[in-house]
Amino acid sequence: LLMKRFTKIKNSAGLTLVELVTAMVISSIGVLALGTGITSIVGFYQDDWVTKGARFWGYESMDYIIDKVGTAEIVLRRAYLANYDNLLITPKDGSRQLNIQGNKYDGLTVNGQPILDFADFPAEGTYRDEGQRIVALDKFIVTELTEVDEFENVFNGRPYLNKLAKSLWQIEMIISVTTKFQGESSVEYLTFKRIAWAKDKYFL
C-alpha cells in the first residue's frame, strides 16, 4: 500500500531560477513604485473641481500609456524637447505606430490627436478664459528603469535580468495648476509617476 502511494507522486519542473528571480524583481518594483504613484505639492484650492479635472485627465492618460506599453511589440523613447520626451509604441497587432508627445497647453497627443477621446486636456473652461486658472503640462519624461536611482541596485550585477530591464520604463508627468487672485498667484503641481512593463515584448 505504501509503495502504491509513492508511485502516484509526479515530479514537476516548477520555476527555473531565472523565472523565480524575475517574479521577485517585478514584485519588489511594484512595492517600490507604490510610493511614487501620484503626489502633489499642495497650493491653494486643492479640492476645487478644476484641479480634480486635471487629476482625472492625468490618471486616465497614464492608464492609456500603461495599457499600450503592456501590449506593445516595440517601445522606444526619443528625447524631443527639454521637458518632453517622445514615446514611440509599435503595437504587436501590426496597426499604426503610436507617437505620444507632450505639449505645455495641449497636454499629451497621440499621432497629433488628443490622447483621450472622451476628455480634452483641461487647459480651457470655466475660470480659465481670463487666466484666473492656468492648467499646463510641465513635464513628460520617459526613463529606462535601470537609469532611475531607486531601481538601479535591482539590476546591478544581474546580467540574467537584462531582458527584463529592457522591458521596463518609468513614466513621469507633471501638471501645474496656477491660480491668480487679487494680483497674487499660487501653483499646485500634480505629479503622476508609473512603472510601465512591456509584458508582451518581454515574453516574445
Side-chain angles (χ1 to χ4, degrees):
L1 180 60
L2 185 60
M3 290 299 294
K4 288 182 178 180
R5 288 180 180 175
F6 278 121
T7 56
K8 292 181 179 179
I9 296 174
K10 295 182 179 180
N11 292 326
S12 173
L15 293 174
T16 66
L17 181 59
V18 172
E19 289 172 335
L20 182 59
V21 172
T22 298
M24 292 173 65
V25 168
I26 290 296
S27 297
S28 64
I29 287 171
V31 171
L32 288 171
L34 286 176
T36 59
I38 175 172
T39 58
S40 61
I41 301 173
V42 180
F44 299 108
Y45 307 100
Q46 179 181 2
D47 293 324
D48 74 277
W49 64 273
V50 174
T51 303
K52 287 180 179 178
R55 283 197 184 97
F56 172 79
W57 183 91
Y59 277 125
E60 294 294 325
S61 296
M62 292 295 275
D63 283 347
Y64 174 93
I65 294 171
I66 298 302
D67 178 66
K68 296 301 182 183
V69 169
T71 57
E73 181 177 355
I74 301 172
V75 180
L76 296 173
R77 172 257 183 192
R78 183 172 63 188
Y80 180 56
L81 296 172
N83 289 334
Y84 307 101
D85 286 337
N86 276 26
L87 184 60
L88 303 175
I89 301 172
T90 302
K92 65 176 183 178
D93 61 5
S95 58
R96 183 184 180 188
Q97 185 183 58
L98 305 176
N99 182 8
I100 300 177
Q101 293 179 288
N103 179 278
K104 190 175 184 68
Y105 296 113
D106 293 331
L108 296 178
T109 60
V110 179
N111 298 332
Q113 300 298 315
I115 190 169
L116 302 177
D117 56 10
F118 56 85
D120 292 331
F121 183 67
E124 299 180 356
T126 307
Y127 302 122
R128 283 157 280 186
D129 295 337
E130 298 179 4
Q132 305 105 311
R133 310 301 300 281
I134 302 172
V135 180
L137 180 65
D138 277 16
K139 181 186 288 187
F140 177 67
I141 300 296
V142 180
T143 310
E144 291 184 11
L145 208 61
T146 53
E147 298 177 4
V148 179
D149 291 341
E150 59 260 46
F151 297 107
E152 187 176 355
N153 292 332
V154 174
F155 300 100
N156 279 350
R158 298 176 178 175
Y160 51 86
L161 292 179
N162 286 346
K163 182 180 178 182
L164 176 63
K166 292 178 181 179
S167 67
L168 290 161
W169 290 266
Q170 177 176 276
I171 313 294
E172 182 178 9
M173 178 171 65
I174 299 178
I175 300 174
S176 64
V177 181
T178 303
T179 300
K180 295 184 178 181
F181 182 70
Q182 295 183 344
E184 297 184 358
S185 64
S186 63
V187 184
E188 179 178 357
Y189 295 95
L190 306 176
T191 301
F192 303 82
K193 194 180 292 185
R194 298 273 298 275
I195 304 301
W197 182 27
K199 298 184 292 293
D200 287 4
K201 175 179 181 291
Y202 173 75
F203 288 111
L204 282 177

